Amino acid sequence: SRAVACVDSADRYLAWAEQLRALPSLGWVTSPSPVTPLPGLAAQLGLTELCVKRDDLLDALHGGTKVRKLDLLLAAAPYRDSPRWVSLGAIGSGHLVACTAAAHTLRRHLEAHLFFEPLSAGVLENLASIASGPSTLHYYRSRAHLVLRQPSLLTAKLLGGVPVIAPGATAPASVAGIVRAALELAEQARAGLLAPPDVVYCALGTGGTAAGLALGLGLAGLRCEVRAVSAVEPYVVSARTVRLHIERAARWLHEHGVPARADQAVAVRVLKTQLGQGYGAVTPQSLAAVEILSQQGVPIEPVYTGKAFAALLAQAASKHVRGRVLFWNSVRRGPLPCASDWRERLPAALVRLFVNAAATTEMS
């Protein structure tokens, strides 16, 4: 049986887990995130089992899978020794929320380069938290404008001598943090907290989470498939991007004493069916997915995790997924800290954006 196969591979993946635990980290992931079974919803969807891996309940940095990435990344050079970091994301970026929280915790300063995304309550909460932290904000009217003005943010390791945290904190060291998460899940399966899944769904942004899960699940000996649901356009991230992240993470791990190989990763299928009008735009399906999981006591948001769960719902309805399914909830936890003067800390162009948005609302 699948459960027996998982137990039979225990020695192998426990050895991997021990080697991964020995990697330098900041110690922000001190215990496994819980797994929440949803038997009633599984029955409604015609699934044998449906579980949610609750990274929203991780303790550090307001939770979320970004904690796992930054735990290893910021413990490595050059980040560990620098008083400042640079990174980029949308004005409501959960990645920048986590980077801001990390900067506060470690007493560093963040240079945050922000581009526009559609306004919502969640976007404003994230932006308020970013602006309230030890950060300097730079605003660009679009992703394309940011790339044209600051292409080095996507290609360079240093900008003006300051270390650059890649979009989504996706780098070989941070993908290794997700590999550790996958082995954590395998240990929970071995302990009987869930059956080994047939399919694992996750949101696809920069591709680091999907890559780390695929490599880690493969190292653990689990026979499953990762279905990564794209929240970004195909020209930004694709299946090939995920494969490159797997290869680079495997090389990094090998260089750090963990003899991983890219060909040990399980299969990754990139699903592009829930993107809607593009990055940052919610869809009726993602909003419905948020509501469905909210009724189960599991919080998600409509831009990333909502689209991922919407894909799961759609594939269950069309019988394109069966058996045991795990949904990886990568969302951060709220409410977030917010300074009373956060709006006054925004770049002037962002202030004008809010003024114009308010005027448009009043006119409509």
Side-chain angles (χ1 to χ4, degrees), residues 20 25 83 106 143 158 183 189 204 215 228 261 267 289 301 343 358:
L20 286 160
S25 73
L106 299 175
R143 276 183 297 175
L158 298 172
L183 270 77
L204 179 71
L215 184 55
R261 301 190 319 272
E301 45 68 47
R343 289 178 182 266

Side-chain angles (χ1 to χ4, degrees), residues 11 81 97 101 191 204 219 225 232 238 256 268 296 313 329 333:
D11 290 342
D81 303 316
V97 168
L204 179 71
L219 294 179
E225 179 184 67
V232 297
S238 64
H256 289 77
V268 179
Q296 303 290 325
L313 294 172
N329 192 15
R333 184 177 62 252

Side-chain angles (χ1 to χ4, degrees), residues 128-168:
S129 184
I130 296 164
S132 300
S135 54
T136 301
L137 275 56
H138 309 272
Y139 176 65
Y140 307 82
R141 61 179 179 269
S142 67
R143 276 183 297 175
H145 187 221
L146 184 151
V147 172
L148 288 172
R149 291 282 304 275
Q150 291 284 3
S152 297
L153 286 169
L154 298 175
T155 59
K157 294 184 178 180
L158 298 172
L159 188 66
V162 179
V164 177
I165 300 175

Side-chain angles (χ1 to χ4, degrees), residues 156-223:
K157 294 184 178 180
L158 298 172
L159 188 66
V162 179
V164 177
I165 300 175
T170 293
S174 57
V175 173
I178 309 301
V179 173
R180 295 205 306 185
L183 270 77
E184 172 186 297
L185 177 73
E187 291 179 8
Q188 290 174 311
R190 179 172 179 261
L193 299 179
L194 74 160
D198 298 297
V199 181
V200 175
Y201 284 84
C202 68
L204 179 71
T206 56
T209 296
L213 291 179
L215 184 55
L217 293 169
L219 294 179
L222 296 186
R223 300 171 185 171

